[in-house]
Amino acid sequence: MPAKPKWAQLADHIRGQIASGELVPGDKLPSTAQLCKEHGVSTIVVRQAIFALRTEGLVEGVQGVGVFVAEQPPGGVGKS
């Protein structure tokens, strides 16, 4: 089985931080540059990971300000 794409690995990492409570609703995610440096990935990898998390409703972007952890529905991350 092929390895998971880097953007998916990064999205899983951030998703795990949200699920564990390390990142809580309202927390600002590190900048794209910081995430690139911390994880040794390119800008496009970070953007794809953030896009995936936005699609899932886990984070929301504020133009010119940053990306923040979204308010979670009752039951937490990954639960219906």
Side-chain angles (χ1 to χ4, degrees), residues 37-78:
K37 187 175 179 181
E38 287 173 18
H39 297 277
V41 297
S42 68
T43 301
I44 193 67
V45 169
V46 172
R47 288 183 182 163
Q48 286 177 304
I50 297 301
F51 178 79
L53 295 170
R54 284 170 109 175
T55 301
E56 295 170 24
L58 295 177
V59 300
E60 47 197 16
V62 179
Q63 186 72 28
V65 179
V67 178
F68 297 85
V69 177
E71 293 295 327
Q72 302 304 313
V77 177

Side-chain angles (χ1 to χ4, degrees), residues 3-23:
K4 211 176 222 188
K6 288 183 180 181
W7 68 264
Q9 293 175 32
L10 179 56
D12 285 348
H13 176 76
I14 296 170
R15 199 179 290 111
Q17 289 181 304
I18 294 170
S20 72
E22 186 177 339
L23 291 172

